[in-house]
Amino acid sequence: MKYKILAGAMILAAMSGTPACTELEDTNYHAIVGDGFQPTGEDLAALLASAYIPWRQTFLQWNGVARSQMLTADEDVIPARPNGWVDGGIYKRLHQHAWTSDEDNVVQGWNRTYVGINACNRVLYQLENGIDLGDQHDAIVSELKVLRASYYYILVDLFGNVPLITQFDVPDGYLPDQASRKEVYEFIVKEITDNIDNLSETVGGELYGRFNKWAAYALLAKMYLNAEVFSDGAHTEWEKCVEACDKIIESGKYALESKQSQCFITNNENSCESIFALVFDETYVTDWNAFDYHLYSLQPANQQTYNFESAPWGGVCAIPQYVDSFDPDDARLESTFIKGQQYTFSGDVLYCTLGSYSGQPLAYINEVPSIDESEEVHGYRWGKFEYATGITNRLSNDFPVFRYADVLLMKAEALLRNGKADDAAAIVTDVRRRNFTTNEAKATVTGDQLQAETCYKYGRADNTTTTTSDVSVIKYGRMLDELGWEFSQEGRRRQDMIRFGAFTTMDWFSHTASDATKNLFPIPNAQLLTNNKLKQNPGY
């Protein structure tokens, strides 16, 4: 019996036990024989890789989940540029919470994530029907179930009420039922807790880029941290979140890097902070938009700064209010953003090449007129991930989805919400300490400060409208600030803002407070048309 593999698998060299953690090879597998098949290390790698690859595709490819998490929040914006970037108004609609059920980011967030779920179900079906992995069998089955749960983590966050599909061999004409958000939350937690003890405790090597026990605990902690949101108020699990974080902390397997920037260098596969990463290598990951932060943000002239193979497109930049919330002595301000006068690789001054600033020095300023207009100089650009000299249209940095600083700050937030503000502050101080080496006193934060109002100056702030938002409605606003300063450009700001009650209540830049229904994206219209069992989310 042959089981069809629907897409060509890419072998992760890390999964086959070699030390080259970030290298990926393209290999097409048209079929795998189930009956009596004894897979080699490479065969196992191909099976697993086919289930892992959709994670990086749903998260980082064009209009992926990372874009949905950031462009809808108070962190980033794509204003109209001299070379375009209006694109039918999609980025403005994301910024102003006016998206529809036909938006590409809505469609891709749903479709690509279900590709991952289908891949997990397919491989699990193969393992249940003839492929025997010997001593590894139970561990691999558990790993795939946790991986599948991680895809549902994306869906419960974005869409809430989604079908729970756990079978691959469904009959013709099958239409899945829609589960409630609470049911999806409970399914994810059960899948993790039922399988976590079967997972490997090994860090790195063949487990790099995969769900080992500690990555599973990080996912579980993330579920518990967002339990109240993800379960529609049915659960609050602050103590369980702390317990899951403590499993990772007490393992002694991970630590903070001495500098935050070390987490994001090109060859970051050996970072002691990375718990679950999306594995990239420009040579082997060949999707055009696989990981294009450098082209997405920098202006065309910056090609000469880094000797990129392709000219950047100059789209996204930081919202000025967000940049202004950083302490000037915070090292993350310098390592996160590209600002000021730009130069060629050899040190010559770069000039603008587009719009009314053409011919003037290309010097990025922390100003953007509005979502509807900007020039090349407007807005600080993304710079958290290192841009290697001579890179293609694709970066080779691995993308840390869960890292140790996240575990520490999840624990801190859970303690804060559970009435242990001083304990939370001690943890936050530990994370801050590496970022204030020139003024160590500023690293210290108190429990009272974490419970204080946000430093972010919320309100409409473009050249058309000025308003002020009442930030007192954000409980623990300073803690939300800490997350914003630590996790910029990591594809998560929307989720954090929702948990703190800020996502639909605050004004910022060209965005006015929206309706609470915008805490969820709509079910894609195409799905509603093909499955009459699906009910649209409220407000759409």
Side-chain angles (χ1 to χ4, degrees):
M1 179 177 182
K2 293 185 177 181
Y3 304 108
K4 299 291 186 181
I5 289 190
L6 303 182
M10 298 174 69
I11 294 183
L12 284 143
M15 294 181 179
S16 60
T18 66
C21 299
T22 58
E23 292 191 1
L24 306 173
E25 294 180 3
D26 288 334
T27 304
N28 292 322
Y29 286 79
H30 300 293
I32 286 190
V33 179
D35 190 16
F37 175 67
Q38 294 298 321
T40 66
E42 286 193 352
D43 295 321
L44 175 58
L47 281 169
L48 289 173
S50 68
Y52 274 97
I53 287 168
W55 233 109
R56 65 168 172 77
Q57 293 173 331
T58 191
F59 197 71
L60 283 176
Q61 278 191 340
W62 195 258
N63 285 337
V65 171
R67 183 173 289 181
S68 295
Q69 293 281 9
M70 292 188 286
L71 284 185
T72 59
D74 63 2
E75 175 182 8
D76 299 315
V77 64
I78 300 179
R81 295 288 187 186
N83 58 330
W85 285 100
V86 176
D87 291 5
I90 181 174
Y91 310 121
K92 183 176 181 178
R93 291 193 295 274
L94 290 175
H95 182 72
Q96 297 185 335
H97 292 191
W99 51 75
T100 73
S101 60
D102 291 313
E103 305 290 2
D104 190 52
N105 69 296
V106 172
V107 173
Q108 299 299 349
W110 179 286
N111 289 351
R112 291 173 185 161
T113 308
Y114 270 110
V115 167
I117 290 168
N118 183 64
C120 291
N121 288 340
R122 182 182 65 245
V123 179
L124 285 167
Y125 177 75
Q126 292 172 292
L127 296 179
E128 293 165 359
N129 291 274
I131 296 181
D132 185 2
L133 300 178
D135 293 342
Q136 299 185 73
H137 195 91
D138 290 347
I140 295 300
V141 168
S142 289
E143 180 181 345
L144 285 163
K145 288 183 177 180
V146 172
L147 175 60
R148 183 176 61 190
S150 75
Y151 287 118
Y152 277 111
Y153 156 70
I154 294 173
L155 292 173
V156 77
D157 181 17
L158 296 183
F159 302 103
N161 313 292
V162 301
L164 283 171
I165 306 169
T166 58
Q167 287 182 276
F168 182 67
D169 55 334
V170 296
D172 290 341
Y174 170 75
L175 295 175
D177 293 316
Q178 186 175 23
S180 70
R181 199 179 196 188
K182 173 177 174 289
E183 290 170 333
V184 179
Y185 166 82
E186 291 171 347
F187 167 81
I188 297 168
V189 170
K190 187 175 188 303
E191 285 286 278
I192 300 170
T193 55
D194 284 354
N195 290 283
I196 199 166
D197 287 338
N198 288 334
L199 301 182
S200 174
E201 297 183 6
T202 300
V203 173
E206 65 180 18
L207 269 297
Y208 181 73
R210 290 166 52 184
F211 270 95
N212 62 8
K213 181 175 290 188
W214 318 116
Y217 272 121
L219 176 62
L220 185 61
K222 191 69 70 173
M223 293 302 301
Y224 287 144
L225 186 70
N226 291 283
E228 189 170 15
V229 175
F230 289 174
S231 70
D232 286 336
H235 298 273
T236 52
E237 303 286 10
W238 311 124
E239 290 184 3
K240 288 184 179 180
C241 178
V242 171
E243 290 171 4
C245 292
D246 279 342
K247 291 287 188 180
I248 302 168
I249 295 167
E250 292 167 5
S251 75
K253 303 282 188 178
Y254 304 95
L256 290 174
E257 294 281 0
S258 59
K259 295 181 179 179
Q260 190 214 51
S261 58
Q262 287 297 113
C263 301
F264 306 99
I265 60 176
T266 299
N267 298 313
N268 61 346
E269 61 270 17
N270 294 316
S271 172
C272 61
E273 195 161 326
S274 182
I275 298 174
F276 175 61
L278 306 180
V279 183
F280 282 90
D281 188 294
E282 62 169 324
T283 303
Y284 300 106
V285 181
T286 58
D287 303 329
W288 175 259
N289 291 113
F291 191 5
D292 57 11
Y293 274 18
H294 53 320
L295 302 188
Y296 181 43
S297 187
L298 296 175
Q299 287 302 129
N302 278 126
Q303 181 178 10
Q304 299 177 64
T305 305
Y306 305 91
N307 290 334
F308 293 147
E309 287 189 8
S310 302
W313 314 315
V316 74
C317 65
I319 290 174
Q321 291 153 289
Y322 173 61
V323 173
D324 286 339
S325 73
F326 282 73
D327 189 300
D329 291 326
D330 189 339
R332 292 171 295 194
L333 180 61
E334 292 296 321
S335 63
T336 298
F337 305 109
I338 295 172
K339 58 188 178 67
Q341 178 61 54
Q342 300 299 292
Y343 300 90
T344 68
F345 186 75
S346 58
D348 297 327
V349 171
L350 282 176
Y351 296 89
C352 296
T353 60
L354 303 167
S356 61
Y357 277 64
S358 182
Q360 297 186 36
L362 178 61
Y364 297 129
I365 59 176
N366 190 35
E367 299 174 15
V368 185
S370 82
I371 187 73
D372 294 315
E373 60 175 303
S374 69
E375 296 290 344
E376 285 190 276
V377 299
H378 288 130
Y380 284 4
R381 305 309 167 100
W382 286 3
K384 190 170 193 175
F385 286 85
E386 180 185 31
Y387 299 154
T389 302
I391 202 76
T392 68
N393 59 296
R394 307 172 302 281
L395 297 178
S396 284
N397 320 54
D398 295 345
F399 194 103
V401 176
F402 301 136
R403 57 186 178 93
Y404 192 60
D406 191 8
V407 171
L408 294 176
L409 292 183
M410 282 194 288
K411 179 179 179 179
E413 183 184 335
L415 288 170
L416 179 65
R417 293 181 182 277
N418 214 22
K420 299 177 181 178
D422 289 340
D423 292 340
I427 297 172
V428 174
T429 297
D430 285 341
V431 175
R432 288 173 58 86
R433 192 167 284 121
R434 63 182 174 183
N435 304 303
F436 288 91
T437 56
T438 60
N439 192 336
E440 294 182 7
K442 285 189 174 182
T444 301
V445 63
T446 68
D448 287 341
Q449 287 174 322
L450 287 186
Q451 297 176 86
E453 291 183 353
T454 174
C455 301
Y456 198 113
K457 302 301 182 184
Y458 283 105
R460 279 290 296 261
D462 60 16
N463 62 3
T464 64
T465 309
T466 302
T467 66
T468 301
S469 292
D470 179 10
V471 298
S472 66
V473 303
I474 305 175
K475 193 174 183 179
Y476 312 123
R478 172 61 186 273
M479 186 71 211
L480 178 60
D481 293 342
E482 295 291 346
L483 301 180
W485 299 328
E486 179 64 25
F487 299 110
S488 178
Q489 298 162 38
E490 295 185 52
R492 55 174 282 166
R493 182 63 175 173
R494 167 192 162 274
Q495 183 186 103
D496 291 338
M497 291 187 73
I498 289 172
R499 196 171 61 255
F500 281 83
F503 186 64
T504 60
T505 60
M506 297 291 106
D507 296 352
W508 60 82
F509 190 51
S510 294
H511 163 93
T512 302
S514 60
D515 187 85
T517 57
K518 296 303 184 291
N519 284 325
L520 283 175
F521 286 107
I523 307 298
N525 186 50
Q527 298 298 323
L528 298 174
L529 294 175
T530 57
N531 184 356
N532 58 15
K533 294 182 178 181
L534 298 180
K535 182 180 179 181
Q536 183 58 277
N537 284 330
Y540 297 103

